[in-house]
Amino acid sequence: MVAFSNGYLVDNLTEALKIRSEFEVTPYAGGTDLMVEAKDDAVYLFLNKIPELRRIYSDDEYIRIGAACTYTEIFENTLTPQILKDSIDYLAAPAIRNMGTAGGNICNASPKADTALIFYVADAKLRICSASGERILPIEDFYVGRGKTVLQRDELLVEILVPKFGLEHYYYKKVGARQALAISRVAFAGLFSTENGIITRFAMAFGSVADTILRFRDLEALFVGKTMTEAKSLRDDLIAKYDQAIVPIRGRVSADYRKSVCMNLLEDFLNQNGI
Amino acid sequence: MQSISKSIPKRDHFPKISGRAKYVDDLQIEGLLHGKILRSSVACAEINEILIPDLPNGYFVIDKNDVPGVNSVHVVDDDTPVFSDGTVNYVGEAILMVAGRDLKVVNQILKQIKVIYHEKQPVLDMMKSDTIFYQYGYTKGDWESAFRDADKIIEEDFQTGYQEHVYMEVQGMIGSYENGKAIIRGTMQCPYYVHTAVKRAMGFESDKVQVIQEEMGGAFGGKEDYPSILGCQVAVAAYKTGKPVKVILDRNEDITCSPKRHPAKMHYRAAIKNGEVTGIDADVVYDCGAFTTLSPVVLQRGLICATGVYDFKNLRVRGKAVKTNTVPNGAFRGFGGPQTFFSIEMFMDHLAKEIGLDSVRLKERMVVKQGDDSATSGKYHFHVPFPAMIEKLDQISGFRKKRETFRHQTGRYRSGIGISLVYHGCGFTGSGERDLIKGVVKVVKNTDDTVELLTAGTDMGQGLKTVFAKIASDTLGIPLEQVIVQNPDTDRVPNSGPTAASRSLMVVGKLLQRAAEKLKQDWKPGEYQEVVEKYVHPDFMIPWDLSKFQGDPYPDYSWSANAVEVKVDTLTATTEIVGAWGVYDVGTPIDMAIIIGQMQGGFLQGIGYGSMELLGVNEKGVIRNNSFSDYIIPTSMDVPNLVTEVVENTYDNGPFGGKGAGELPAVGGAPAFVEAMENALGVNLHHTPFSQEDAMKVLEALKK
């Protein structure tokens, strides 16, 4: 461990968790969000030299992405699913992608987070560790609101567990104010799979429209297990239900604009999948 | 291509690209104090009381009572105070300065100061303002008959928004006071403007004020008037504290309180008879913000440009510049031209539709040519190369064919292509060069036969040092390395005028060429020599009369033809710029790479102005998006490779045939972009910036 005037640099997870449990520290991975409004009195726990947080590997079920992996590292890894690569391709600009991390994107808890949207739609899980143990929870349970998560003050996000299967057939669109270095105004990700004419996977996530990323599992359930014909007959009903469920907040753009884009993309997602 | 056009590395290229260049914030000065300005948080109020905490030793508060001369900054008029005179007129107005050794402590003190305001209702809507700062108007031909006899009269309203300069280097200045002399150094376009302003505020004689320009990281007009304000503030602070005082604005502060492009509202009428536009009537309002700064001249240029590049026989143009309780607007590349040019270009598109022509056909038919009277009853004295430029534009962009192809589209993506034809009048508006500036340059030959060019011209990145050196080197027939051009210091350089109005190359460059010619004739190796050259007004010009608003406002014009192609995604209303092409006449390019760089940068800035650069003021008069995450400018990913070409049309009164270039490219981008959106969406549009949200509104309305 090296102690700096503004924090601690450690090279293994055990030590990091020990410091996390003993001191009031701000976890610092890439710093691309933290440095925008750096606080003079902050004490940081620098995470970028911890091997356990820098790995990308897979097991039977999951691609496991270390929380301190940079966007560039994730983008360049052959295990990374294409939908995640697409989101990174539209994220900020190369300099930020070289420093910023997926863990930071999640823990910053912005509904605009580009990669968090993909983790949402993909049913990713988060592996969270503390000195006294670990827990794994679905990403949707991690968020409490804008900028708020259930991460305890002695915990660190260690890995993101992305399901290996069912991500091939996807739809992704980010709408920003420009082509690069853009905060998303609306982001949409959808997954769709069928087996023997039966819909096995139907998931949609909406970013930048509310305090957290939105998913409506009860509405998705209307399609799962249905035949294509059944889904087609339910299409108008589903659209009407989403139209009711999505209530965007106004921010840099109006709620009306966000709503129009969400509904247009949702319909296009259905169209593309023959519904 | 003439030999002088051949590109060489810009003189500021290696220092800036390597990070070695020293900007004002990089200067190390013994005993330096940091100053930070307390700014008004309300748009309109009287200040009842200012509660200041006890100050630690070595920390100072500087306000209006510390101004030794007049508490007023001279720009064109004198209404801008150095520090608030007891009222505040916009959010961001300077009330006082806190200065001391440690910037953190300065900031803490600033937070502890309480200002008790007696608030008044601010005027934020320019159309509701009852304070008219300036007002002009002119007519040509018999506009009344044209409207009386018209088959049809078309009326439309247009609106253009703010634009922020987004120079990379923020505003910053250091003032010192030594032996009865105020020394100001910093980032500025016009050292002698600062000199005049500081002299007045300090009540000093000319020789007791010295102004030095430091390396500059961009300006775009944004450092024409504001450095005079900041210069006076640091001069007063240095005078009070006896120490050098540095003030560097942070980005949010810079966006909040530095000048912007004037928002404008414009009402246009046209008389149509027998399928011809027989008369035009423009009524223009520019929003000055709270103080006058450069607004009279900005409005003048806007009105001169109000009828565009077309030969209208009968016209009336009226305009006023009004006060609102918002940040004072000032100079921005194009200087009043982009607002009215946007309106007339869009209006011509709409008139063409009325007449049943493609807009380019109408524009081609009406475009001015050499010998025509100008709108202000002056003359286009020189060749206007529009026919060749439009042909070239078609060759590189294929716009004629595309216009046809893009009619009646369906499907998710809609394409459009828009065309604009614009000019920028070269040099100071009206009789300014002759009556106000009276530029002087000095060329010094040292005993080692190096030659130094002494002018007040500043290099903000536009390449002035490089082109000045090329002009001298080519004229004298000596190597470039033998020519010295330094940042101006008013103790050393004569007043060759401000670096503004696309005048420096054409006017000051010409003076340097003449001086160099004289030096060459009289060249005495190994001897010290000086040549001083003074401005001579071109004798062909029809004298400008501001009271009538008539005559030649400029000796010559730079011209451009622009095309922008877009592809709109109807699901998201996002717009991809598929292509952007510009053809320019800037006389002889004195350095081709510099000219192409200027054309591309300006074009991009113009497209940003037309599409995404939205700056919003809320109901309390606060600019709500004063950061880079919220004030959106285009990146290199947002435009394709811009295709920019020049046609050579030498201007004999400029050095080697060169004329104004810097501002021209920023004028035509917005109308070309918005016309492309019209072409894609199939509707008439009337404002900048035309944003994603605006496009979505149109698409949603079309659905219904």
Side-chain angles (χ1 to χ4, degrees):
Chain A
M1 188 208 39
V2 188
F4 293 112
S5 61
N6 64 341
Y8 306 93
L9 178 66
V10 290
D11 61 5
N12 67 80
L13 184 60
T14 311
E15 200 168 10
L17 292 171
K18 184 163 180 286
I19 289 170
R20 182 74 165 140
S21 69
E22 287 171 4
F23 302 101
E24 191 70 44
V25 289
T26 304
Y28 182 116
T32 54
D33 280 316
L34 288 174
M35 289 297 98
V36 175
E37 279 170 4
K39 295 190 178 74
D40 284 339
D41 53 356
V43 180
Y44 297 108
L45 174 58
F46 296 103
L47 303 174
N48 53 337
K49 299 275 187 227
I50 300 174
E52 295 95 322
L53 300 184
R54 299 298 300 263
R55 297 181 296 178
I56 300 175
Y57 61 105
S58 75
D59 58 20
D60 293 344
E61 253 185 288
Y62 299 108
I63 299 147
R64 303 173 79 103
I65 299 170
C69 290
T70 66
Y71 301 114
T72 302
E73 286 164 355
I74 299 168
F75 187 83
E76 289 173 351
N77 196 291
T78 51
L79 293 171
T80 303
Q82 189 59 38
I83 184 173
L84 186 54
K85 287 189 180 184
D86 280 12
S87 75
I88 293 170
D89 210 16
Y90 287 97
L91 189 153
I96 289 173
R97 288 180 220 154
N98 289 341
M99 294 299 290
T101 66
N105 208 212
I106 292 170
C107 291
N108 194 42
S110 162
K112 300 176 171 74
D114 293 295
T115 60
L117 178 83
I118 309 303
F119 298 133
Y120 246 78
V121 80
D123 292 330
K125 295 188 167 69
L126 304 180
R127 181 174 164 239
I128 293 165
C129 296
S130 69
S132 55
E134 69 169 73
R135 55 178 177 149
I136 289 178
L137 72 166
I139 187 165
E140 278 165 272
D141 297 345
F142 184 68
Y143 292 104
V144 185
R146 181 182 291 266
K148 293 195 187 92
T149 71
V150 299
L151 193 74
Q152 299 301 304
R153 55 162 301 276
D154 62 341
E155 288 180 321
L156 287 175
L157 172 60
V158 173
E159 281 178 341
I160 305 140
L161 279 53
V162 184
K164 280 171 89 169
F165 307 105
L167 306 182
E168 305 78 23
H169 201 136
Y170 69 91
Y171 184 109
Y172 174 68
K173 183 79 189 172
K174 168 179 176 172
V175 179
R178 60 185 167 204
Q179 300 292 320
L181 285 168
I183 296 167
S184 77
R185 290 174 163 184
V186 177
F188 175 89
L191 292 173
F192 186 86
S193 321
T194 56
E195 253 171 62
N196 305 321
I198 307 290
I199 297 170
T200 54
R201 187 159 203 175
F202 180 73
M204 291 190 281
F206 302 85
S208 304
V209 289
D211 280 342
T212 61
I213 293 164
L214 297 180
R215 248 188 98 174
F216 303 97
R217 286 182 184 271
D218 50 335
L219 300 181
E220 292 172 6
L222 294 174
F223 269 28
V224 178
K226 298 286 190 311
T227 64
M228 290 296 281
T229 320
E230 286 169 334
K232 272 181 210 167
S233 70
L234 287 169
R235 176 190 158 108
D236 288 353
D237 186 39
L238 184 89
I239 290 171
K241 288 199 158 81
Y242 269 98
D243 196 26
Q244 230 170 13
I246 299 170
V247 184
I249 47 172
R250 73 177 270 271
R252 292 175 169 99
V253 286
S254 68
D256 285 349
Y257 174 77
R258 290 199 159 116
K259 186 63 180 284
S260 299
V261 175
C262 285
M263 296 312 294
N264 286 346
L265 293 175
L266 186 160
E267 288 189 39
D268 191 49
F269 173 57
L270 297 177
N271 293 345
Q272 304 262 331
N273 289 295
I275 294 173
Chain B
M1 188 167 84
Q2 298 190 32
S3 65
I4 196 160
S5 302
K6 197 167 163 286
S7 301
I8 60 164
K10 268 169 75 192
R11 289 210 163 185
D12 60 346
H13 179 81
F14 291 109
K16 281 182 176 168
I17 211 80
S18 65
R20 276 186 285 115
K22 289 243 182 294
Y23 298 90
V24 61
D25 198 18
D26 300 324
L27 301 179
Q28 305 287 332
I29 292 176
E30 186 65 27
L32 185 73
L33 303 185
H34 295 277
K36 202 82 192 163
I37 292 169
L38 178 75
R39 299 184 178 281
S40 171
S41 59
V42 301
C44 187
E46 278 171 23
I47 295 175
N48 281 351
E49 206 184 347
I50 302 176
L51 306 171
I52 297 169
D54 289 337
L55 299 174
N57 224 344
Y59 288 81
F60 304 84
V61 164
I62 301 104
D63 67 12
K64 66 175 197 295
N65 299 319
D66 300 309
V67 180
V70 191
N71 182 29
S72 130
V73 181
H74 176 75
V75 183
V76 175
D77 287 314
D78 302 315
D79 54 329
T80 309
V82 180
F83 294 106
S84 163
D85 57 4
T87 66
V88 286
N89 299 277
Y90 65 97
V91 173
E93 184 170 351
I95 297 172
L96 54 80
M97 187 197 295
V98 177
R101 285 302 304 233
D102 186 341
L103 187 57
K104 274 188 196 167
V105 179
V106 168
N107 280 324
Q108 282 161 8
I109 295 168
L110 217 52
K111 276 189 195 140
Q112 291 163 13
I113 298 177
K114 292 227 165 11
V115 182
I116 315 292
Y117 298 103
H118 173 64
E119 281 193 64
K120 295 174 177 174
Q121 188 63 37
V123 177
L124 302 173
D125 178 353
M126 70 177 102
M127 302 313 273
K128 291 189 181 141
S129 171
D130 53 11
T131 308
I132 298 172
F133 282 148
Y134 306 98
Q135 197 164 14
Y136 312 101
Y138 62 96
T139 64
K140 189 177 110 176
D142 187 356
W143 69 275
E144 284 167 305
S145 297
F147 278 88
R148 196 173 49 235
D149 301 339
D151 299 336
K152 195 163 20 170
I153 292 171
I154 314 285
E155 295 197 37
E156 291 186 9
D157 287 300
F158 299 93
Q159 191 178 327
T160 56
Y162 278 109
Q163 190 176 20
E164 159 60 30
H165 303 84
V166 200
Y167 28 64
M168 283 201 267
E169 181 207 18
V170 289
Q171 307 269 3
M173 212 66 85
I174 296 174
S176 358
Y177 181 71
E178 291 161 22
N179 308 320
K181 188 172 184 175
I183 304 162
I184 312 300
R185 51 179 81 228
T187 184
M188 63 183 81
Q189 287 175 235
C190 314
Y192 272 98
Y193 278 6
V194 179
H195 189 268
T196 306
V198 170
K199 217 167 69 173
R200 179 182 151 86
M202 299 300 287
F204 287 179
E205 296 298 320
S206 280
D207 63 345
K208 296 297 179 197
V209 176
Q210 180 182 10
V211 180
I212 303 161
Q213 180 237 328
E214 299 296 343
E215 207 65 49
M216 201 168 3
F220 308 110
K223 295 172 183 173
E224 180 169 349
D225 59 8
Y226 195 79
S228 297
I229 301 171
L230 199 53
C232 289
Q233 289 164 345
V234 295
V236 172
Y239 180 74
K240 174 164 186 178
T241 62
K243 298 260 169 55
V245 177
K246 172 165 88 172
V247 176
I248 307 288
L249 270 51
D250 65 39
R251 183 64 69 175
N252 298 4
E253 183 183 16
D254 193 298
I255 296 179
T256 298
C257 67
S258 72
K260 325 250 163 284
R261 191 184 300 291
H262 291 64
K265 294 201 174 177
M266 295 151 281
H267 182 73
Y268 274 70
R269 295 197 307 147
I272 309 240
K273 193 171 176 65
N274 301 328
E276 303 279 346
V277 186
T278 51
I280 199 123
D281 182 15
D283 194 353
V284 171
V285 182
Y286 278 14
D287 181 350
C288 299
F291 295 105
T292 59
T293 68
L294 294 160
S295 292
V297 201
V298 171
L299 177 65
Q300 286 165 26
R301 194 180 272 270
L303 296 182
I304 290 161
C305 301
T307 55
V309 298
Y310 308 108
D311 185 25
F312 294 110
K313 302 291 182 207
N314 307 298
L315 58 86
R316 176 174 71 164
V317 175
R318 294 173 295 171
K320 55 188 180 180
V322 301
K323 173 179 175 169
T324 59
N325 292 110
T326 55
V327 62
N329 297 304
F332 195 145
R333 205 175 194 176
F335 203 76
Q339 294 93 324
T340 48
F341 259 115
F342 170 75
S343 299
I344 187 65
E345 284 299 286
M346 300 315 295
F347 198 37
M348 286 293 279
D349 300 338
H350 306 163
L351 294 177
K353 287 181 196 169
E354 282 290 335
I355 295 169
L357 283 175
D358 184 88
S359 68
V360 186
R361 295 271 173 231
L362 178 67
K363 288 176 177 179
E364 281 178 307
R365 203 156 85 184
M366 296 197 65
V367 85
V368 297
K369 57 186 187 304
Q370 185 172 10
D372 283 349
D373 289 340
S374 68
T376 57
S377 305
K379 228 174 204 36
Y380 294 106
H381 295 277
F382 303 103
H383 176 54
V384 181
F386 264 132
M389 290 168 68
I390 295 169
E391 230 23 70
K392 189 158 201 163
L393 187 67
D394 189 36
Q395 277 168 25
I396 57 177
S397 71
F399 73 81
R400 289 188 205 276
K401 207 171 151 200
K402 286 177 179 168
R403 292 281 275 223
E404 288 306 315
T405 321
F406 296 158
R407 281 181 211 287
H408 312 300
Q409 301 169 74
T410 52
R412 175 170 177 179
Y413 297 99
R414 310 277 165 85
S415 294
I417 190 161
I419 311 297
S420 68
L421 305 179
V422 303
Y423 69 62
H424 188 81
C426 305
F428 241 62
T429 298
S431 50
E433 292 287 350
R434 186 192 61 197
D435 299 339
L436 299 174
I437 299 178
K438 305 170 190 166
V440 180
V441 304
K442 187 153 105 179
V443 173
V444 168
K445 187 176 85 65
N446 297 309
T447 50
D448 63 0
D449 288 350
T450 56
V451 172
E452 182 168 5
L453 312 180
L454 296 169
T455 78
T458 53
D459 199 326
M460 58 197 93
Q462 88 282 36
L464 199 66
K465 283 180 184 166
T466 311
V467 294
F468 276 179
K470 283 177 88 170
I471 289 166
S473 147
D474 268 40
T475 307
L476 288 163
I478 59 172
L480 272 163
E481 302 72 52
Q482 223 169 304
V483 181
I484 300 164
V485 191
Q486 301 191 62
N487 291 333
D489 167 348
T490 56
D491 270 12
R492 297 189 67 233
V493 301
N495 187 357
S496 62
T499 307
S502 299
R503 65 179 291 277
S504 296
L505 177 104
M506 182 179 86
V507 176
V508 184
K510 187 70 186 178
L511 295 183
L512 285 173
Q513 188 186 25
R514 284 210 202 106
E517 278 162 359
K518 284 183 188 163
L519 178 63
K520 189 179 185 185
Q521 276 170 15
D522 195 31
W523 185 275
K524 298 189 180 79
E527 273 184 39
Y528 178 87
Q529 292 173 273
E530 274 186 16
V531 181
V532 172
E533 193 66 29
K534 291 182 178 157
Y535 178 73
V536 181
H537 203 60
D539 52 10
F540 62 81
M541 284 178 75
I542 297 169
W544 176 254
D545 180 341
L546 181 63
S547 66
K548 291 189 184 131
F549 218 84
Q550 274 183 351
D552 279 332
Y554 311 104
D556 199 5
Y557 300 80
S558 293
W559 309 93
S560 87
N562 313 268
V564 173
E565 183 181 342
V566 298
K567 192 169 95 178
V568 182
D569 180 346
T570 55
L571 297 184
T572 58
T574 48
T575 299
E576 181 192 344
I577 292 174
V578 177
W581 303 266
V583 180
Y584 306 88
D585 161 24
V586 294
T588 308
I590 301 303
D591 187 283
M592 194 59 93
I594 289 177
I595 287 297
I596 295 299
Q598 285 287 304
M599 297 306 112
Q600 300 206 342
F603 199 6
L604 183 59
Q605 210 162 28
I607 293 171
Y609 178 54
S611 59
M612 60 177 78
E613 296 194 28
L614 180 68
L615 191 90
V617 175
N618 73 11
E619 67 289 348
K620 292 205 175 295
V622 178
I623 291 174
R624 47 170 198 84
N625 51 338
N626 64 357
S627 72
F628 280 166
S629 48
D630 287 328
Y631 185 75
I632 306 294
I633 60 169
T635 68
S636 56
M637 292 290 287
D638 293 283
V639 287
N641 287 326
L642 294 157
V643 180
T644 47
E645 299 212 3
V646 297
V647 292
E648 288 200 28
N649 179 28
T650 56
Y651 173 58
D652 291 341
N653 287 279
F656 295 89
K659 58 185 178 184
E663 291 172 271
L664 173 71
V667 183
F673 170 81
V674 181
E675 202 207 355
M677 294 301 288
E678 287 192 343
N679 191 215
L681 299 171
V683 293
N684 283 356
L685 303 175
H686 299 90
H687 73 271
T688 67
F690 190 77
S691 67
Q692 282 168 15
E693 280 202 78
D694 294 323
M696 183 58 92
K697 278 179 202 149
V698 171
L699 289 164
E700 291 287 317
L702 290 175
K703 269 191 197 170
K704 282 168 189 152

